[in-house]
DNA sequence: CTCGTAGAGTGTTACGTATAACGTGACCCC
DNA sequence: GGGGTCACGTTATACGTAACACTCTACGAG
């Protein structure tokens, strides 16, 4: 069994089946209907099976000039959010015969290094989160169709944008907290340069800043629980009247904020209402469970992939932001709502 | 500027620089030292820059028969753990000029569908988590070098295995809880067919089952917070004496278990000690913070990639499991430790 | 003066596939 | 019975690159 270690090619299959290489190609492509008889096709398939033939995809890609494979560029996978985006995008991709590979831009790797030494070999297009901006500079040179997720529609010339209606989410948060009676707000903002966080800040400013008697301060934290703990501690112990509501850009930040509040002896929500964004599993595991803006990550991924497929096929991509939903849970309450607890008002 | 829309090739660059295509190839490969003069090389590079030339990687891959790209197959990205694995593996890969793409096996997608329509075009090897077993069946046909993460060393013929020393972690948990005085244990096991979870169960049985007077029960839950809530509720309300310590296969399960305990009016750790595995961000965001077995995901990824590189280069891969660390936090205490709380013993 | 060697390149071929262009019988219809 | 489809294939070529096998000049050693 000194079989040659090199893999069989379509020519080998052709020889074994007694047909031409072209016929094998036709059978393994999918346009052999009316060109090759069913019996011949089956003979080819049998020979291929016998030899263990698998088409050489590098050769196919070279020949076709396209690959039916798409790259999804996301920031570091520190939460399950982008896992959901991937799942949704991959589902739509699979329905259209496309493959999807994921490129998480590594933390702390600068834009200088080429992130895709060779993987780029097989890409028809790219979907990229605006939070992974650094990795994108390396893609500028390739003129691949590009869909940007959560990115400034005006700021990405030549790219299609697909966005969550995060502005509506922040308006809902503002409305919810105002309705509960809060007036002193702290915005715990993600210290990440990304359009989606700019929108959150802008929207909060517009809908809390304009209210008579309302006050909005801002603190910044890196996008991690530990970072949020530190930033929230600093902000909550700052001089002046303490805020009664803490609006966080993200559930991770909210989790850190809750932890910091606990350490400072503040009760959530009696002394401090806290909100997040994302609705991670974390949000409902916390005590109290987190009021948050639920983002449908899978739908986000689906819409992103649909937009890219539209671009690839020359169709106009669908427009319209993806709706989000405010989920009210236990971490928000009227300010000073300790009454039902038994007079713990100092 | 009616430029031809097709991208420039090495031949175009050669023409523009007044050299042969072979010379361009030599310059863009990296073995032109002693074959092409520095001045000529610079002329080639200048022409390439002017034309916006980028090597066609599909052609290169076809010609070379290898790609310096590796695939990492992981289960659905429901926690940040595999993000860490990716980060570590990608770092090592980059140091060796390799690229790394990530393939999360989509939830609920059976093994029938080919998960890599075309991405497989450019793969030199595969690193796969044993938890993503389903996706692996589709890879059987390709005879790619394979490194398995957290997989039975005996059960994967032809594959190299890299494992966390999860057995030591479970022994540490058992020792910790026994030392605190616990004797009635419940193991909340992940209902996922994977070697790593089998090891946890086996190790717990060996080190808790053998103790005189000790009792170990087992409940199973899908690997999610919601699943754990339901399973823990059922197990904790079962007839018979309630366990005092709940050993969970994973932090997600532990988070769900804590939530279920709270809903049943049980306090953690006074009425029930809870432990997890992973040390996710979640673990330290919970109240109380979770005692857990910390797994170094990045190191795991690094070692996996190093093993694959060794296989690719014909070197023997390093052996030895990766150490883990028990992190004791607030979710474990001696059984019935409610004394300092003020006599809440019913 | 001849030989060997190193430097600086070039011509050609092969990687494995997909497809346009080209037969070739057979059948059918007027 | 001639021409027009059809059904079923084959031949030949191109995709863009890397590498083998050359050529040619210069130069120092023997």
């Amino acid at each position: 069994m000194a079989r040659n270690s090199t893999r069989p090619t379509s020519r080998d299959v052709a020889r074994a089946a007694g047909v031409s290489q072209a016929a094998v190609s036709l059978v393994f492509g999918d346009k052999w209907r009316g060109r090759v008889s069913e019996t011949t096709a089956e003979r080819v398939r049998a020979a291929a099976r016998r030899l263990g033939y698998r088409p050489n995809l590098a050769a196919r890609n070279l020949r076709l000039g396209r690959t039916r494979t798409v790259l999804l560029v996301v920031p570091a996978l520190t939460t399950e959010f982008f896992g959901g985006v991937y799942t949704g995008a991959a589902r739509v991709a699979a329905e259209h015969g496309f493959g999807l590979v994921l490129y998480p831009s590594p933390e702390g790797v600068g834009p200088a290094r080429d992130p895709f030494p060779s993987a780029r070999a097989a890409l028809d297009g790219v979907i990229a989160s605006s939070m992974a901006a650094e990795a994108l500079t390396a893609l500028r040179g390739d003129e691949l169709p590009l869909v940007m997720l959560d990115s400034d529609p005006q700021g990405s010339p030549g790219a299609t944008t697909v966005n969550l209606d995060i502005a509506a989410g922040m308006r809902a948060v503002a409305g919810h907290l105002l309705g509960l009676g809060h007036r002193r707000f702290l915005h715990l903002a993600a210290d990440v340069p990304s359009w989606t966080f700019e929108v959150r800040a802008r929207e909060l400013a517009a809908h809390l800043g304009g209210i008579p008697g309302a006050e909005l301060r801002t603190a910044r934290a890196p996008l991690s629980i530990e970072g949020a703990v530190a930033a929230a501690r600093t902000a909550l112990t700052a001089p002046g009247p303490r805020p009664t509501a803490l609006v966080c850009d993200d559930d991770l930040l909210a989790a850190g904020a809750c932890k910091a509040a606990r350490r400072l002896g503040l009760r959530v929500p009696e002394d401090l209402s806290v909100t997040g964004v994302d609705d991670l599993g974390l949000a409902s595991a916390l005590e109290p469970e987190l009021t948050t803006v639920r983002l449908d990550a899978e739908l986000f991924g689906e819409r992103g992939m649909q937009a890219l497929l539209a671009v690839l096929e020359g169709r106009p991509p669908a427009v319209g932001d993806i709706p989000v939903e405010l989920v009210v849970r236990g971490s928000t309450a009227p300010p000073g709502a300790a009454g039902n607890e038994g007079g713990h008002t100092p």
Side-chain angles (χ1 to χ4, degrees), chain A:
Chain A
M1 275 295 173
R3 189 187 299 192
N4 200 335
S5 74
T6 168
R7 291 154 92 103
T9 73
S10 61
R11 216 173 309 268
D12 297 328
V13 175
R15 225 181 324 264
V19 297
S20 73
Q21 178 267 328
V24 177
S25 177
L26 288 173
V27 170
F28 273 84
D30 251 354
K31 199 49 193 173
W32 56 279
R33 287 162 265 261
R35 317 254 304 126
V36 173
S37 72
E38 176 54 50
T39 60
T40 305
E42 188 45 51
R43 192 150 38 92
V44 168
R45 280 190 286 260
R49 220 172 298 124
R50 188 156 11 101
L51 298 182
Y53 168 72
R54 321 209 109 199
N56 180 317
L57 297 177
R60 172 177 291 175
N61 289 343
L62 171 61
R63 178 63 229 246
L64 292 178
R66 76 193 141 72
T67 64
R68 302 188 82 73
T69 297
V70 168
L71 180 72
L72 176 61
V73 183
V74 301
L77 296 167
T78 52
T79 72
E80 74 261 28
F81 182 77
F82 284 100
V85 173
Y86 177 86
T87 300
R91 177 165 44 235
V92 172
E95 285 165 5
H96 291 77
F98 274 72
L100 182 64
V101 292
L102 185 56
Y103 182 80
S105 81
E107 309 174 72
V109 171
R113 159 162 275 152
D114 180 356
F116 317 102
S118 227
R120 220 167 15 193
L123 292 184
D124 280 355
V126 176
I127 304 177
S129 161
S130 69
M131 290 173 64
E134 293 199 351
L136 286 179
T137 61
L139 286 168
R140 284 282 166 222
D142 312 317
E143 292 145 15
L144 290 171
L146 176 62
V147 168
M148 294 288 300
L149 301 183
D150 260 337
S151 170
D152 185 354
Q154 262 72 48
S156 315
T160 305
T161 58
V162 173
N163 291 339
L164 294 160
D165 194 358
I166 195 69
M170 297 319 280
R171 285 197 297 273
V173 168
H176 170 62
L177 292 172
L178 284 170
L180 288 172
H182 291 275
R183 289 299 179 270
R184 290 199 308 276
F185 300 95
L186 177 63
H187 176 205
L188 186 54
D191 197 10
V192 174
S194 169
W195 183 76
T196 183
F197 295 123
E198 292 170 19
V199 168
R200 297 171 203 206
R202 188 188 317 146
E203 210 65 20
L204 282 183
H207 289 266
L208 293 178
I211 305 294
E215 176 196 336
L216 173 65
R217 284 188 290 164
T218 299
R220 304 198 155 274
L223 201 39
S224 70
I225 293 179
E226 303 74 33
V229 170
R233 164 183 296 266
T234 303
L236 290 174
T237 56
R242 187 172 7 188
T244 63
L246 182 46
V247 179
C248 304
D249 267 355
D250 188 280
D251 285 353
L252 275 191
L253 297 181
C258 288
K259 191 168 168 180
R262 261 196 324 264
R263 290 193 182 164
L264 292 171
L266 299 174
R267 293 163 309 166
V268 176
E270 293 85 356
D271 301 322
L272 184 70
S273 286
V274 177
T275 70
V277 172
D278 266 8
D279 198 23
L280 304 176
L282 177 61
S284 62
L286 291 176
E287 168 65 16
E289 299 185 18
L290 203 59
T291 294
T292 190
V293 177
R294 174 178 297 160
L295 308 183
D296 190 335
E298 294 199 17
L299 180 59
F300 198 24
E302 289 176 9
R303 293 283 294 275
M305 180 58 73
Q306 284 162 353
L308 183 55
L309 290 173
V311 172
L312 288 174
E313 294 168 8
R315 291 182 286 116
V319 298
D321 290 348
I322 299 170
V324 304
E325 179 190 1
L326 177 67
V327 180
V328 177
R329 298 206 187 91
S331 70
T332 49
N340 49 0
E341 191 72 10
H344 191 295
T345 28

